[in-house]
Amino acid sequence: MPFSRFSLPLLVALAVSIVAPALAEPGNVTASLDAGVLNIKATETFYNGSHKNSQLDWKTTNAMALRGSLGLELAPDWRVKTEGRIGFSGDGYMTDYDWLYPYYRDTSKEGWSDRSQHGDTRLDHYLTGSIELNRTLLEDPLQHLSAGIGFRYTDVQWSSYGGSYIYSWRGFRNYVGDFGNGEKAITYRQQIPVFYGNLTGGRKFGNWSLNAGVEGGAMVYAKATDDHWMRSIRFADKFDIGGMFGAKAGIAYDLTENASIYLDGAYEYTSFGRGDKTATSFGGGSSTVYDNAGGGDMQSLFVSAGVKGRF
C-alpha cells in the first residue's frame, strides 16, 4: 500500500517488535501467536442532503486470520504492546441498494428502486496493526487491571464480480438481468486510523484465568475508495472524525509458569460519520465533489485460539 502519514506509527511498532526483545531483561517480554475465524461487515453510503441515494453492504464471513503480538515492560508498571493481524479468503457477499426518485417506495431496504446482488465477492486483503502503551493499576497473584492508550490502522478491501440486478427503468423494478459471470463490478477499500483508550483486567482461578477489556476512541481522517469498473468511475470519500468502540474477552490455561494457551474473541465497530465524496472518471479529466455526501462504517468479530509465552 502507498506510504501515508499513518504509516509512521506502524513502522515504529515494527521497529519496537524487532529491537525491543534484544534490549529487554529476561522475563520482561511476552509474545503470542494465534489463528482463528474473522467476520467483517462494512457499509458504504451516498447521500443527497438528508436523503440516502445509495447503500452498499459488504461482508465476509468465516475468513481465516492470523494474529501475533509482542509486549515489553519498559519500567515497573509500564508496558508497550504491538499487535498485527491478517485475514484472507472467506465467504463474501455484496448488495447494492438505490433509492432513486420517483420509483423508490420508502427508504427501508424493502423500498428500494434498484438493487444488485453479488455472491462472488472476494476479500482482497485485510490488514490491521496497533501499538499501545499500558499502565498497570492493580496486580497481585489473583487479579490484574490496566489502562492505556493506543493507535490502530486497518486496511480492508473487497472486489465483487458478476451478480444479478433489478433496476427501475421507466417503470418500477422492470429491468431484470445478470452481469457477466466473472465480470468485475466494484472494488471497495477502507483505510481506517483510530486512536483509542483501553481498560483491561483479569482474574485467576488456579491454572485458569478469565480476561476482558473494552476500548473506546476516535477514527481520524479515514478514507474510502469505490471503483465502479462497469461505469469507469471512482468515488473517493474523506472523513474527518468518527466514533470507535471495541470489546474483548477470553479464557486461558497456564501450562507452565511462563507459557499458556488461550481462547478469546474481539469485536470492533467504527463509524465514519459523514464526509465529502469525489467522483472521477478513470480516464482522468474533471472531478465532481459532493459535499458531506459520503458515509460508512466497519465492524469485525475475531475468535481465535493460540499460545502465549514470557521470555
Side-chain angles (χ1 to χ4, degrees):
M1 70 190 70
F3 182 83
S4 71
R5 64 183 135 178
F6 297 109
S7 300
L8 182 57
L10 297 182
L11 293 176
V12 171
L14 179 61
V16 169
S17 66
I18 295 174
V19 176
L23 302 178
E25 294 292 330
N28 287 350
V29 176
T30 58
S32 67
L33 180 66
D34 58 45
V37 177
L38 174 68
N39 291 342
I40 320 166
K41 294 175 63 177
T43 61
E44 171 193 0
T45 50
F46 191 170
Y47 288 90
N48 181 10
S50 60
H51 176 70
K52 183 164 59 176
N53 279 348
S54 178
Q55 177 171 315
L56 287 76
D57 292 339
W58 299 83
K59 69 176 182 179
T60 292
T61 57
N62 300 320
M64 297 300 296
L66 298 175
R67 177 177 61 177
S69 72
L70 188 68
L72 169 67
E73 184 175 349
L74 298 176
D77 297 330
W78 289 95
R79 296 188 66 85
V80 63
K81 177 184 176 183
T82 63
E83 182 177 292
R85 185 167 69 209
I86 180 172
F88 46 91
S89 189
D91 302 316
Y93 203 91
M94 188 272 281
T95 305
D96 183 354
Y97 301 93
D98 290 330
W99 295 269
L100 303 180
Y101 180 83
Y103 296 115
Y104 76 93
R105 292 185 169 178
D106 55 55
T107 54
S108 71
K109 285 191 175 179
E110 288 71 42
W112 48 268
S113 61
D114 307 89
R115 186 189 68 185
S116 64
Q117 297 175 298
H118 306 266
D120 185 6
T121 295
R122 308 169 193 176
L123 181 64
D124 295 329
H125 64 252
Y126 173 86
L127 304 166
T128 185
S130 64
I131 182 168
E132 295 178 359
L133 179 64
N134 296 304
R135 173 77 159 90
T136 300
L137 305 177
L138 169 67
E139 186 170 29
D140 61 40
L142 293 180
Q143 57 197 348
H144 66 90
L145 181 68
S146 65
I149 56 174
F151 172 83
R152 179 181 297 112
Y153 183 82
T154 301
D155 189 327
V156 58
Q157 178 176 295
W158 289 271
S159 290
S160 63
Y161 300 80
S164 61
Y165 58 83
I166 303 175
Y167 294 154
S168 298
W169 175 252
R170 298 180 180 176
F172 179 69
R173 300 183 184 176
N174 61 333
Y175 191 57
V176 180
D178 297 306
F179 299 112
N181 187 32
E183 182 179 5
K184 197 171 188 178
I186 301 173
T187 295
Y188 182 57
R189 181 183 185 187
Q190 294 181 338
Q191 297 167 272
I192 313 168
V194 169
F195 292 93
Y196 61 91
N198 65 52
L199 184 67
T200 59
R203 180 160 181 96
K204 291 185 68 66
F205 303 89
N207 282 10
W208 293 92
S209 61
L210 296 176
N211 305 283
V214 292
E215 297 176 348
M219 172 280 300
V220 289
Y221 301 122
K223 297 191 297 183
T225 307
D226 174 320
D227 288 323
H228 271 60
W229 299 102
M230 297 177 186
R231 297 169 56 190
S232 298
I233 190 169
R234 165 172 287 188
F235 297 96
D237 298 341
K238 292 185 178 181
F239 305 97
D240 290 335
I241 192 167
M244 171 268 175
F245 169 80
K248 56 186 177 180
I251 184 171
Y253 181 81
D254 292 338
L255 300 173
T256 69
E257 183 179 352
N258 293 317
S260 61
I261 54 176
Y262 61 86
L263 173 69
D264 68 14
Y267 172 80
E268 182 182 345
Y269 173 79
T270 303
S271 172
F272 296 167
R274 295 278 288 271
D276 294 341
K277 183 182 291 286
T278 302
T280 307
S281 298
F282 283 176
S286 61
S287 299
T288 303
V289 178
Y290 302 92
D291 294 336
N292 208 35
D297 61 27
M298 194 277 286
Q299 55 186 314
S300 65
L301 176 64
F302 179 53
V303 178
S304 64
V307 59
K308 181 178 180 179
R310 180 182 294 274
F311 308 94

